[in-house]
Amino acid sequence: MPSNVSEGGDGGEDKKKKSDEAKLRGRSGNNWLILFATVAIALGSFLLTNKRGNTLPKTYAICSKDSDKVYVVDDRNLQTQCVVVDSVLIADTGSLGSIREKWGDIQIRYLPEGAVVLPGLSDSHGHVLEYGAAQQLPLEGAKSPQDVVARVREYILATPEILEDKSQVIFGGGWDHTAWSSTGWPTAADLDADSVVRGRPVILQSKDCHALWVSSKAIKDSLPLPETIEGGVIVRDESGDPTGLFLDNAQDLLKQPELTEAELLRRFNVAVRDAHRYGLTSVHDAGLDPMSLAFFKRQAKKGTLPIRIYGMSYFDPHAPYWGNVTRPLIATGNGRLTTRSVKIFADGALRTGGSALHEVYHDNPKTRGFMRLEPEILFDVIPKFVKDGWQVNVHAIGDRANGIVLDAFEASLVGADVGALRPRLEHAQMMTKEDMTRLGKLGVIASVQPTHAISDMWYAEDRLGPERVKSLYAFRSIVDSGARITLGSDFPVETMDPLSGFYAAVTRKSPDGKSPHGPGGWFPEQKLTRREALRGMTIDPAYASFTESILGSLEIGKRADFTVLSQDIMTVPEDQILSTRVIATVIDGKPVFGDI
Ligand SMILES: *[C@@H]1O[C@H](CO)[C@@H](O)[C@H](O)[C@H]1NC(C)=O
Ligand SMILES: [Zn+2]
């Protein structure tokens, strides 16, 4: 792994100091002034480096004063008192006594009362740039289509460059029609009804990212549209005109402007800032389009990626196979960007009725959802990607989609070493008992999102009926079938906060302690243990990204990525988990958020 880590602007600071001194000398020759200036500059750069946390020595220890509050997350689930960092690596763990003895006068930072050190938290499924975009005009919590339109209106009025230029495309995201009392989809007419919004191109992404609700200007700019599209739906009225709602593959039909580098960077910085605040040191980005992939590569090349990104590149079933022309990248840039996996979409989402089920939807007997590609394509390209060295991660929600993908995995894994390939089912949301058993036998990883479970638990039974709903988010059954899991949030679909995922996995309740099955949680027999949930956010994502030898635990020789929390999430009462604060997020031995 390259270690040419750039040290921020410290070198530049030195140079600036020298030239300032030279200038002062040349101008006045006054020694007092030089002395004063030098002291001031030295003081300034001291404060600056102090703020950046650079006063940490190269080698330091973090210890709890009197109990074992360092969770190593090794095979034995060791808890100990101290962890020693040497530069970018974990150099040791052990009791305070043993560390003092071995490391002499090493600088020790003591944890605040009750705080814990965990391996750096990782999100196995999120969307980095989409998160940054969604933060611009967030539509979460809107109570009706009119509420959404009102937010769009306010956003336009508050953003002069958009207010003044009617051609600017307005993006928003996070609306959720399942939370509205109105039935049916929102329409372009809803947007056009507002005098400020009318006539502007507006593109609003649904909470699950499987639907776009757009204005008539956005439709007009995208004409001509095909009659139908495979793996997607253009919702139309009686006379056949698009109503303004585009599902799954139909979303690609909308013309969107090229994003500038500045806009990409803005989105990226927003996402990274929040990830650091939430204690994340690593994110698996579950879908890079060519533009995002190129952006991440440019960032990595500069050697300054502020977080670890494990990227999955989209496979477009209508584009030529690319697995043999693009090469996987491993730990490129400053060691923080890896793109060695491909993301394939099998079906849509449960919320928008696009997930492919074996039987019809309970609340819509006209459909059993749809696949977003012909199953033959899976059987064709999965073996190719595998042969060309790519990890294959397939989005599958419905039980039919999961079954078909497992068929395809099974066919391509014959005689293969599954440990070398580590195929993943992204979501693995609803599976038959037989398929769970198959998942375990094949060694396919289930990449699951506990916060989806507590979001969907309120309407899932309507969609699926009382029997089939039991096979949805059945995390305990998946683990008991011998399958590996790894946890994620699917941000911006859900909050990025990994503690929300931890809480959802171990309680199966909403943040206010409720569930459709009462205060004991929704299908409480499917809860994960806290230990499983912690592993699911640390060592399991490391395994799922081929990095378990360098990340995911605080074992000697691994990268010094860790997260310091204000209290022990492994022992606090359930209802206090969500009041835990992140004290510090540390990557390669250096705090990127907070202080130690
Ligand atoms: C890549 O694979 C495709 C599809 O199998 C094939 O048509 C093409 O010739 C291959 N290209 C290279 C450079 O190997
Ligand atoms: Zn996703």
Side-chain angles (χ1 to χ4, degrees):
M1 183 159 300
S3 59
N4 55 337
V5 185
S6 152
E7 296 291 345
D10 293 356
E13 199 65 41
D14 267 4
K15 258 179 241 148
K16 182 174 174 298
K17 190 162 104 186
K18 284 202 188 90
S19 79
D20 283 357
E21 278 173 10
K23 260 190 240 152
L24 282 168
R25 259 190 220 106
R27 212 180 297 144
S28 70
N30 184 324
N31 286 336
W32 282 109
L33 190 55
I34 292 165
L35 184 65
F36 173 75
T38 310
V39 169
I41 288 164
L43 188 65
S45 62
F46 168 75
L47 291 174
L48 210 61
T49 51
N50 194 32
K51 202 165 141 248
R52 285 188 202 140
N54 285 354
T55 52
L56 275 174
K58 181 172 159 290
T59 310
Y60 60 91
I62 298 179
C63 299
S64 47
K65 282 211 175 88
D66 43 23
S67 50
D68 292 337
K69 290 297 184 190
V70 174
Y71 285 86
V72 176
V73 193
D74 59 359
D75 287 345
R76 297 170 302 141
N77 292 300
L78 179 74
Q79 270 176 260
T80 186
Q81 211 174 347
C82 296
V83 54
V84 175
V85 173
D86 184 24
S87 181
V88 298
L89 300 179
I90 303 289
D92 207 352
T93 51
S95 69
L96 191 52
S98 73
I99 296 302
R100 279 216 181 99
E101 194 173 312
K102 274 197 262 175
W103 293 85
D105 57 358
I106 186 170
Q107 198 178 116
I108 297 177
R109 302 284 166 111
Y110 290 99
L111 292 170
E113 183 71 32
V116 294
V117 180
L118 307 176
L121 300 179
S122 178
D123 191 315
S124 297
H125 185 122
H127 302 272
V128 175
L129 296 177
E130 290 79 358
Y131 178 91
Q135 291 297 303
Q136 208 164 350
L137 171 49
L139 303 172
E140 278 84 9
K143 302 229 162 16
S144 64
Q146 290 68 38
D147 198 5
V148 170
V149 176
R151 289 196 198 182
V152 176
R153 175 194 174 91
E154 276 162 39
Y155 171 72
I156 295 170
L157 293 174
T159 316
E161 64 272 25
I162 287 181
L163 182 63
E164 281 153 27
D165 180 359
K166 275 195 114 174
S167 71
Q168 288 237 14
V169 181
I170 296 158
F171 295 103
W175 57 270
D176 176 11
H177 68 294
T178 64
W180 302 342
S181 58
S182 54
T183 50
W185 296 110
T187 63
D190 293 327
L191 288 162
D192 301 338
D194 185 283
S195 60
V196 173
V197 181
R198 189 180 309 137
R200 297 171 183 271
V202 181
I203 301 180
L204 307 176
Q205 181 99 62
S206 66
K207 177 176 165 67
D208 65 10
C209 294
H210 288 265
L212 291 178
W213 166 21
V214 306
S215 64
S216 31
K217 180 73 166 77
I219 299 175
K220 201 166 147 232
D221 291 346
S222 306
L223 294 175
L225 293 168
E227 229 11 74
T228 55
I229 177 163
E230 198 193 311
V233 176
I234 305 168
V235 178
R236 293 174 187 277
D237 61 18
E238 290 86 37
S239 49
D241 293 325
T243 63
L245 209 286
F246 294 75
L247 291 176
D248 289 302
N249 289 353
Q251 299 179 104
D252 303 337
L253 299 172
L254 287 155
K255 294 239 164 48
Q256 305 203 12
E258 283 274 312
L259 293 171
T260 61
E261 186 77 359
E263 175 59 16
L264 288 168
L265 200 55
R266 194 198 61 77
R267 294 179 180 191
F268 180 61
N269 288 338
V270 166
V272 169
R273 179 200 65 195
D274 286 2
H276 287 165
R277 286 181 182 169
Y278 284 130
L280 292 169
T281 57
S282 152
V283 168
H284 300 191
D285 193 307
L288 302 180
D289 54 31
M291 179 195 61
S292 322
L293 179 62
F295 172 78
F296 284 119
K297 284 185 183 170
R298 283 195 298 277
Q299 294 304 310
K301 206 165 177 190
K302 287 192 216 151
T304 52
L305 263 194
I307 192 163
R308 296 189 198 282
I309 306 271
Y310 183 76
M312 312 176 198
S313 300
Y314 274 131
F315 171 69
D316 174 354
H318 304 289
Y321 172 76
W322 50 255
N324 55 357
V325 280
T326 305
R327 301 314 315 163
L329 288 177
I330 295 174
T332 184
N334 52 344
R336 294 188 184 172
L337 178 69
T338 292
T339 56
R340 64 179 291 179
S341 64
V342 55
K343 167 83 174 290
I344 305 176
F345 274 99
D347 65 345
L350 185 67
R351 192 177 290 268
T352 32
S355 50
L357 310 182
H358 283 301
E359 306 296 334
V360 293
Y361 278 82
H362 187 69
D363 59 357
N364 184 2
K366 283 196 296 246
T367 177
R368 51 184 198 130
F370 51 84
M371 295 290 287
R372 285 176 73 167
L373 42 60
E374 291 296 326
E376 295 73 54
I377 298 180
L378 291 174
F379 287 86
D380 174 39
V381 299
I382 291 179
K384 285 185 189 155
F385 276 115
V386 163
K387 183 179 134 285
D388 289 323
W390 293 86
Q391 182 192 38
V392 179
N393 304 348
V394 187
H395 163 114
I397 305 259
D399 52 5
R400 179 159 54 103
N402 276 289
I404 291 170
V405 177
L406 280 180
D407 291 343
F409 276 152
E410 198 164 12
S412 31
L413 287 173
V414 176
D417 168 14
V418 71
L421 305 175
R422 306 186 190 183
R424 294 167 51 161
L425 276 176
E426 296 303 319
H427 306 302
Q429 239 171 58
M430 180 189 181
M431 298 181 85
T432 63
K433 206 88 217 126
E434 299 71 51
D435 280 343
M436 287 187 201
T437 309
R438 210 146 57 110
L439 189 70
K441 276 214 189 95
L442 288 173
V444 173
I445 300 165
S447 168
V448 299
Q449 297 76 36
T451 40
H452 281 343
I454 62 167
S455 286
D456 293 357
M457 65 184 176
W458 300 104
Y459 72 85
E461 196 164 328
D462 292 347
R463 287 276 191 293
L464 300 172
E467 268 317 300
R468 277 185 304 174
V469 72
K470 293 179 189 161
S471 62
L472 183 73
Y473 302 117
F475 302 144
R476 164 69 33 221
S477 304
I478 290 178
V479 171
D480 289 349
S481 73
R484 282 176 182 271
I485 54 160
T486 189
L487 303 184
S489 68
D490 208 359
F491 66 75
V493 181
E494 309 284 352
T495 167
M496 191 190 258
D497 182 0
L499 294 178
S500 291
F502 182 86
Y503 170 85
V506 304
T507 68
R508 298 179 71 93
K509 291 192 286 200
S510 59
D512 60 359
K514 299 197 176 103
S515 92
H517 297 162
W522 184 59
F523 294 113
E525 64 278 9
Q526 296 293 349
K527 286 177 187 172
L528 294 179
T529 65
R530 295 194 198 200
R531 184 174 280 175
E532 285 165 340
L534 176 62
R535 297 185 71 88
M537 303 186 323
T538 53
I539 191 69
D540 293 332
Y543 179 83
S545 58
F546 301 88
T547 46
E548 75 279 10
S549 64
I550 53 165
L551 300 174
S553 71
L554 300 179
E555 291 169 282
I556 297 171
K558 289 198 179 183
R559 305 299 289 194
D561 286 10
F562 54 92
T563 305
V564 184
L565 299 180
S566 64
Q567 56 176 359
D568 189 349
I569 57 168
M570 303 302 281
T571 58
V572 292
E574 237 171 54
D575 61 359
Q576 285 174 31
I577 292 173
L578 291 176
S579 55
T580 308
R581 284 178 308 103
V582 175
I583 293 180
T585 308
V586 178
I587 302 180
D588 282 333
K590 291 204 177 71
V592 289
F593 170 77
D595 228 337
I596 46 177

